[in-house]
Amino acid sequence: MDLGIGLPVLRPDPELSLADWARHAESRGFTTLGTTDRLVYDQYEPLTALAVAAGATSRIRLTTSILLAPLRANHALFAKSAATLDRLSGGRLVLGLAPGAREDDYRAGGLPFRRRGRLFDALLETATAQWRETDGIGPRPATPGGPPLLLGGFTEAALRRMVTHGSGWVAGAQGVENFRAHAPGVRQAWQAAGRAGAPRLVGTVHCALGPGAERRLRTSLERYYTSGTFTRKSIEAGLSSPEAVAHEVAAYAEAGCDELILFPHGGGPEQIDLLAEAVGW
């Protein structure tokens, strides 16, 4: 199983260099740099943050896990931005996409929350067609046909989007049991659609290590999600000790996860080393 790490994009510390973080993560053997996405929150915009990371690295993948795709209302411009990042990074971009469940993000973006599914479908159709064109809106992505798409969610619509446009599925950070519960349905949908091979399954985990880890993790998640069942489940599934990280990584690998992205909350670059050491690197 590949192991990725999140960029420090939430409530960003201006003294913390994304470029230095990205270089260090690559040097420690992480396979992916991940980003999360909210509009109504103090965080870096995902594609912009990944562009900074791309310029500082040469091998590590650049993954939105996830990007709230329907908020990108100009679909042709979104496709152009993604193709540009894929081209400039040498084909390292992976787009994890989902509609999101927070109405405030859509209200702030001037978009109808209840039409986000239709907006998402329209974006996918436009972007994938644009990436396949040989003459039209450029640049051409480095990856033939466009960056790999990982679709989030486990509704019927989410699985339809995955088998139509995606190369795999990305799970929310609610723990390995949640991953185990939904992964078989993802594989079954893939096979039922007649897709060759198997979908790439990616998991995500919230974590924090070092002094005050549990407090930092809880505070960060409560701020980010604000309230509700999702917040509680995310906090319960969060990891705040090396032993918990090692156990969860092994459990995800046993469950058939292809890549697990660890998202540190709080702290500085030492989180990269602490997580690497927790998994025995």
Side-chain angles (χ1 to χ4, degrees):
M1 182 179 72
D2 291 340
L3 201 61
I5 189 169
L7 282 170
V9 297
L10 302 180
R11 297 174 67 89
D13 180 352
E15 300 299 319
L16 189 57
S17 167
L18 286 187
D20 289 346
W21 180 286
R23 279 190 289 265
H24 191 39
E26 184 174 69
S27 73
R28 288 306 304 253
F30 289 98
T31 54
T32 286
L33 291 165
T35 60
T36 58
D37 193 18
R38 283 279 313 278
L39 179 56
V40 186
Y41 197 75
D42 177 13
Q43 73 172 91
Y44 291 139
E45 193 283 320
L47 294 180
T48 307
L50 289 176
V52 172
T57 57
S58 60
R59 303 182 306 277
I60 197 165
R61 284 191 291 272
L62 312 162
T63 302
T64 61
S65 49
I66 50 78
L67 187 78
L68 299 178
L71 290 179
R72 279 66 188 179
N74 186 325
H75 300 163
L77 181 58
F78 163 76
K80 186 181 186 76
S81 297
T84 298
L85 180 50
D86 189 63
R87 180 77 164 267
L88 292 175
S89 67
R92 291 186 282 146
L93 180 62
V94 178
L95 289 172
L97 306 174
R102 295 188 58 90
E103 190 167 356
D104 56 348
D105 287 327
Y106 284 85
R107 187 163 53 248
L111 295 168
F113 177 70
R114 298 191 183 282
R115 294 191 67 249
R116 66 194 187 283
R118 294 181 184 180
L119 291 171
F120 195 5
D121 289 335
L123 178 142
L124 288 169
E125 292 291 344
T126 296
T128 54
Q130 189 168 310
W131 292 330
R132 291 192 301 265
E133 290 177 0
T134 57
D135 186 26
I137 302 174
R140 302 274 68 73
T143 306
L149 302 182
L150 305 173
L151 280 300
F154 43 82
T155 63
E156 181 179 341
L159 295 179
R160 170 182 53 78
R161 293 179 187 116
M162 183 199 67
V163 300
T164 304
H165 300 288
S167 62
W169 175 71
V170 57
Q174 283 77 57
V176 68
E177 293 308 321
N178 183 69
F179 178 91
R180 283 198 183 102
H182 295 295
V186 172
R187 295 190 184 99
Q188 184 178 15
W190 188 269
Q191 294 170 358
R195 294 288 302 269
R200 182 169 178 80
L201 304 183
V202 176
T204 56
V205 171
H206 296 302
C207 55
L209 295 179
E214 186 173 355
R215 175 186 54 78
R216 284 190 282 112
L217 182 60
R218 174 178 287 274
T219 299
S220 179
L221 291 174
E222 286 176 344
R223 285 172 174 166
Y224 191 69
Y225 293 119
T226 67
S227 64
T229 303
F230 198 85
T231 306
R232 177 179 56 79
K233 290 183 176 180
S234 296
I235 291 173
E236 290 173 351
L239 311 175
S240 56
S241 73
E243 296 76 16
V245 170
H247 180 271
E248 197 79 345
V249 166
Y252 268 95
E254 186 275 332
C257 184
D258 295 301
E259 181 169 59
L260 183 64
I261 305 176
L262 305 171
F263 281 93
H265 288 258
E270 80 283 350
Q271 295 298 304
I272 299 171
D273 294 317
L274 290 172
L275 285 169
E277 291 161 8
V279 297
W281 291 358

